[in-house]
Amino acid sequence: MLRMSRMRKFKRYKQFVMVWKVLAICYISVFTLGYLASGTGAYFVSSQENEQVIQAGTWWDGSELAFVGKPTVDEKACPAMNVSVELKNKGFSMTDTTTYEVFFSETGNPQKTGKKVASGEIKTLEKGEKVSLSYTAEKEGFYVFKALQHPLYGEETEKPLEVWSKKVNAKCKEKKVKEESDKEVEQEIDEEVSTEDKKQEESNNTKDDTQEKVKTETEKAPVEEEKDTSSTEENKQETDTSEATEAESEKQEVKQEKQTEKQTEKQPEKKQQEQSEGTDKPSTGTKEEEGE
C-alpha cells in the first residue's frame, strides 16, 4: 500500500512539472510576441509623423515663379480699367498655394513708394503652367504685382522670396487723346513762335547788312567814280571805232549799188544791139535771092 501511494505522488509531481514548463513556455512566447508587436507599432507611428511634417512645408518643392511678358491694361473701360499680368511656374510642380499682392502709386515706382491695394491667392501650378492675375484699377497711375515664392526658396537658391512684375501705367484712353491733342497744339504754337522769331532775326540781319553795304558803298564811291570815268573813255573809243566801221560799210554798200545800176543800164543797150544785128542779117539774104 505504501509503495502504491509513493508512486502516485511521484506521478503527480511529474505532471505538475510538465504543466509548469508548458505555462512558462506559453508566458515567454506571449511576452516575446507582445514585445515585437509593440516595436512595429512605434515604427509605423514615427513614419506617419514624418509624413505629416513633410506636408506641412518644411522642404522646398522645387517650384520657381516668374512673371512673363508685359502687363496689359484695358484703357477703353474707363474709369474701371482692368490691369492683368501673366505668372508662370518655371520649376517643378507646386505642393501648396501661395499669395500675390498689388501696389499702386500716382507717380514714380510703386515697388518702392507704392501702397498695397489688393491681395489674392495663387493656386498650385504644375511644371510650366501659367496663370493670369488681374486687378480692376479705379485710379489712374502706376501699378505693379508681387508674387511670393515657396518659404524655403530663398534658402535653397539664395534668391529673394518675392518676385515683382513690370510696372504698368493705367490711364484712360480719352484723356490720353486729349493730352496728345493739347501737346500737338502746343507744339504748333511753339513752332509758329519760333518761325516768327526767326523771321524777325532775319529781317534784323538784313537791315544790318544793308546798312553795312551802304557804308561800304559810300566809302568806295570815289574809287568807283574814277573807274567809271576811265570806263566811259574806253566806251567812247569803242563807239568811235564802231562808227568808223559802220561808215566804211555804208560807203561800200553805196559803191555796190552804183555798180549794179550801171550794169542794169548797160544790159538793155546790149539787147538792142543784138536785136538790130539780127534784123540786118535776114535782109541781106532776101537781096541775094532777088538778084538771082
Side-chain angles (χ1 to χ4, degrees):
M1 294 295 289
L2 291 169
R3 287 179 181 177
M4 289 296 290
S5 61
R6 286 179 180 175
M7 288 294 288
R8 287 177 181 174
K9 287 181 181 178
F10 184 71
K11 287 180 180 178
R12 288 178 181 175
Y13 179 75
K14 283 184 177 180
Q15 290 176 355
F16 178 76
V17 172
M18 288 295 290
V19 171
W20 185 81
K21 287 181 179 179
V22 171
L23 291 173
I25 290 168
C26 291
Y27 178 76
I28 291 167
S29 63
V30 170
F31 179 76
T32 54
L33 289 171
Y35 179 76
L36 292 172
S38 65
T40 55
Y43 175 75
F44 286 115
V45 168
S46 63
S47 65
Q48 287 178 0
E49 288 178 355
N50 289 331
E51 287 177 359
Q52 289 177 359
V53 170
I54 288 168
Q55 289 178 359
T58 58
W59 65 288
W60 178 42
D61 56 7
S63 63
E64 184 179 2
L65 301 177
F67 287 100
V68 181
K70 294 181 180 180
T72 58
V73 183
D74 188 6
E75 298 174 347
K76 295 180 181 179
C78 295
M81 295 169 286
N82 187 17
V83 182
S84 61
V85 294
E86 196 172 25
L87 186 69
K88 182 180 180 181
N89 182 14
K90 293 183 176 180
F92 295 98
S93 299
M94 296 170 62
T95 59
D96 197 2
T97 61
T98 183
T99 58
Y100 72 93
E101 297 174 349
V102 184
F103 291 84
F104 165 76
S105 66
E106 293 182 356
T107 57
N109 190 0
Q111 183 175 348
K112 296 179 180 179
T113 61
K115 294 181 181 180
K116 180 181 174 182
V117 293
S119 62
E121 186 179 9
I122 301 171
K123 67 175 185 177
T124 56
L125 300 175
E126 298 293 331
K127 182 179 179 181
E129 186 179 358
K130 297 179 182 179
V131 65
S132 180
L133 307 177
S134 60
Y135 172 74
T136 55
E138 296 180 354
K139 293 182 180 179
E140 293 183 349
F142 295 93
Y143 291 87
V144 70
F145 287 74
K146 181 180 79 172
L148 299 178
Q149 302 277 8
H150 191 275
L152 294 179
Y153 176 81
E155 294 180 3
E156 297 291 337
T157 60
E158 295 181 357
K159 293 180 181 180
L161 291 173
E162 55 191 22
V163 57
W164 294 84
S165 70
K166 295 180 180 180
K167 69 176 182 179
V168 59
N169 185 9
K171 204 166 188 179
C172 186
K173 190 173 183 180
E174 294 177 355
K175 291 184 178 180
K176 275 187 177 180
V177 172
K178 288 181 181 179
E179 289 181 356
E180 288 177 356
S181 62
D182 294 335
K183 285 181 181 179
E184 289 178 356
V185 172
E186 289 178 357
Q187 288 178 357
E188 289 177 356
I189 292 167
D190 293 333
E191 288 176 356
E192 289 177 356
V193 172
S194 62
T195 51
E196 289 178 357
D197 294 333
K198 286 180 181 179
K199 287 179 180 179
Q200 289 180 356
E201 289 179 357
E202 289 176 355
S203 62
N204 293 324
N205 291 325
T206 51
K207 287 180 181 179
D208 295 332
D209 293 333
T210 52
Q211 289 178 358
E212 289 178 356
K213 286 180 180 179
V214 170
K215 288 181 181 179
T216 53
E217 287 177 355
T218 52
E219 290 175 354
K220 291 179 180 180
V223 177
E224 289 180 352
E225 287 178 356
E226 292 177 356
K227 290 181 180 180
D228 292 333
T229 53
S230 61
S231 62
T232 51
E233 291 176 354
E234 290 176 355
N235 290 324
K236 286 180 180 180
Q237 291 177 358
E238 289 177 356
T239 52
D240 293 333
T241 53
S242 62
E243 288 177 355
T245 54
E246 288 177 355
E248 290 178 356
S249 62
E250 288 178 355
K251 289 179 180 179
Q252 289 177 358
E253 289 176 354
V254 171
K255 288 179 180 179
Q256 288 177 357
E257 289 177 354
K258 288 180 178 180
Q259 289 176 358
T260 52
E261 288 177 355
K262 288 179 180 180
Q263 288 177 359
T264 53
E265 289 177 354
K266 289 179 179 179
Q267 284 177 357
E269 292 178 355
K270 287 180 180 180
K271 288 179 180 180
Q272 290 176 1
Q273 290 176 0
E274 288 175 356
Q275 290 177 0
S276 62
E277 289 176 357
T279 52
D280 293 333
K281 286 178 181 180
S283 63
T284 56
T286 54
K287 286 179 181 179
E288 291 176 354
E289 289 176 358
E290 287 179 356
E292 291 178 356

